[in-house]
Amino acid sequence: EREAKIRTEELEAVHRRINKFNALHPKNMIDEDNLEEAIEAFDMGQEYNKWVSMLTANMHLGPDYEPLVSEGVQHLNKIPIIWLELADCTGNSEGFIKSAHPKIDDLILQYISLDYHELLMAASGDQSESVLDSIIKNDAGKYILIVEGAIPLGMEGKFLRIGAKGETGHALLKRVAKNSAAILAVGSCAFDGGVVAAKPNPTGAVGVSEALGRDDIINLPGCPVNPINIVGTLLHFIMFDEMPKLDEKNRPLWAYGFRIHDNCERRGHYDLDEFVLEWGDEGAKKGWCLFKMGCKGPYANLNCPLVKFNEGTSWPVQAGHGCFACGAGKIAFDKYANHRPLEEEEDE
Ligand code: SF4
Ligand code: SF4
């Protein structure tokens, strides 16, 4: 009985927290009512419910949280978000906005209020600068900063200049980070420099945490990050007024607490010593383990096999390509991607 009481109080607290967002105005074109309308119009009611169940389970919340997760989703368009693109390939933005068919992920992602995103916003030049300045000023302490890409520090940051005034990426990051409620570093480059910082790292690129000298950055590495991990982290913030529990690299445990190798559908073949030894061989045709072809699943912690990509269709190892532990950051590009099995056992 005591446990049930604590549980009820917990759920009520989350509910109160979500309701606080009613005080903020929706920033996006789709509002709460027409999110529901859009779900109905595309006949996605069932798909939406399944998506909410999947997300709730992935966030390691019990089934009684499902209505609250759904309620939280309705408020995703009320948090102002600034998305900065620094030294990157735009892969995380593309992963976030990809739209093959109007599937539920796409709809939710369009619903999120990306108030400033150089790639996506209609404004440009001075107009976009003033949008940014106004969010920094008017939504101080409320907006979430999402950063994609590494920060080149070489030559005083001059390898990356952005905007009409030629501000360096580093200066821009510091300016926007100052008033933000929370910072998410998405993708491996924002985590620790990733491929941009791969040897010999000519631009002196580093990740967000190092560039800002802060240890409170939420890291969502991946190449690209799975959009579901961004949505889950934002939802956690809406529901609990705090970021999720993190591992020692500041990555949310609910997404990065699992070893790829332990959830891989080819794992049975690994245990039976059944390996692909050459691309296209019999083992490859039978879906055997890719370890000897360079798969680094045993050294990688991420939820790819659990949530998969493209609306849960598949993930790299299922499609026949070894994992190179992209979520481990630049070591994946310096070392893991270039070696078949590592000579000595080592962990990320
Ligand atoms: S394919 Fe990779 S992740 Fe899957 S079992 Fe083999 S080594 Fe592990
Ligand atoms: S399978 Fe491995 S390399 Fe591919 S996205 Fe997942 S963690 Fe990154």
Side-chain angles (χ1 to χ4, degrees):
E1 199 180 306
R2 198 175 129 69
E3 254 179 40
K5 194 168 166 247
I6 294 173
R7 192 79 172 153
T8 311
E9 280 170 8
E10 220 174 77
L11 293 173
E12 278 169 3
V14 174
H15 196 253
R16 279 197 300 277
R17 162 79 185 149
I18 291 173
N19 272 340
K20 268 204 229 165
F21 282 88
N22 280 325
L24 293 170
H25 292 297
K27 304 271 182 174
N28 211 334
M29 299 287 288
I30 310 175
D31 65 22
E32 247 174 274
D33 296 334
N34 57 30
L35 175 69
E36 275 175 26
E37 268 170 34
I39 289 171
E40 261 175 49
F42 288 116
D43 199 14
M44 288 194 288
Q46 254 191 343
E47 207 187 323
Y48 175 73
N49 292 339
K50 270 202 247 161
W51 183 85
V52 167
S53 305
M54 180 274 289
L55 191 60
T56 311
N58 275 309
M59 289 169 73
H60 287 202
L61 300 170
D64 44 355
Y65 270 90
E66 280 183 21
L68 289 171
V69 168
S70 179
E71 212 178 309
V73 169
Q74 315 265 331
H75 289 72
L76 275 173
N77 68 336
K78 290 176 187 160
I79 324 176
I81 293 179
I82 295 177
W83 182 305
L84 289 185
E85 265 199 81
L86 302 176
D88 71 317
C89 68
T90 323
N92 295 286
S93 292
E94 298 222 5
F96 200 67
I97 59 168
K98 56 139 192 76
S99 179
H101 323 278
K103 288 280 179 99
I104 196 70
D105 296 15
D106 303 313
L107 192 70
I108 300 298
L109 297 177
Q110 279 173 31
Y111 182 62
I112 291 177
S113 175
L114 286 179
D115 299 85
Y116 179 90
H117 189 306
E118 286 134 7
L119 184 76
L120 303 179
M121 63 199 298
S124 63
D126 290 340
Q127 207 189 352
S128 70
E129 300 269 318
S130 62
V131 171
L132 182 61
D133 292 344
S134 115
I135 304 169
I136 294 174
K137 191 168 156 225
N138 301 327
D139 289 318
K142 290 187 210 144
Y143 63 86
I144 298 222
L145 170 60
I146 297 184
V147 186
E148 170 180 13
I151 303 91
L153 296 183
M155 280 179 58
E156 294 160 355
K158 290 180 191 134
F159 283 105
L160 176 67
R161 287 185 178 278
I162 297 171
K165 295 181 197 124
E167 191 175 24
T168 66
H170 191 202
L172 174 66
L173 173 66
K174 285 196 281 187
R175 181 160 69 87
V176 184
K178 206 166 143 220
N179 288 349
S180 63
I183 304 175
L184 270 53
V186 304
S188 297
C189 301
F191 167 50
D192 69 351
V195 69
V196 181
K199 284 175 196 152
N201 191 4
T203 65
V206 298
V208 176
S209 183
E210 191 175 336
L212 291 176
R214 285 173 58 166
D215 59 8
D216 60 345
I217 312 299
I218 313 301
N219 291 317
L220 298 172
C223 195
V225 61
N226 194 319
I228 206 80
N229 292 340
I230 301 181
V231 176
T233 307
L234 290 175
L235 267 178
H236 201 284
F237 178 75
I238 289 182
M239 292 170 65
F240 301 105
D241 197 12
E242 60 181 29
M243 285 301 172
K245 286 210 177 71
L246 306 172
D247 67 9
E248 73 289 351
K249 292 177 181 169
N250 273 19
R251 304 176 301 185
L253 272 173
W254 66 266
Y256 294 81
F258 315 91
R259 206 163 61 132
I260 295 267
H261 189 55
D262 297 333
N263 293 300
C264 176
E265 57 269 67
R266 296 178 190 243
R267 175 60 187 265
H269 296 295
Y270 176 93
D271 293 338
L272 289 171
D273 270 345
E274 292 174 342
F275 297 104
V276 176
L277 299 173
E278 201 178 309
W279 296 122
D281 69 6
E282 269 312 294
K285 287 177 197 153
K286 289 178 178 160
W288 286 2
C289 172
L290 297 165
F291 184 70
K292 296 201 171 166
M293 298 305 288
C295 180
K296 302 298 184 299
Y299 315 110
N301 290 333
L302 239 177
N303 56 359
C304 306
L306 300 172
V307 296
K308 304 191 178 179
F309 293 84
N310 299 324
E311 291 93 29
T313 310
S314 185
W315 68 292
V317 173
Q318 184 179 343
H321 192 291
C323 162
F324 76 105
C326 65
K330 66 181 174 185
I331 189 175
F333 302 92
D334 277 339
K335 186 171 180 181
Y336 292 165
N338 305 317
H339 294 72
R340 285 278 163 96
L342 295 174
E343 278 161 24
E344 291 165 25
E345 279 275 305
E346 52 187 292
D347 216 327
E348 67 169 86

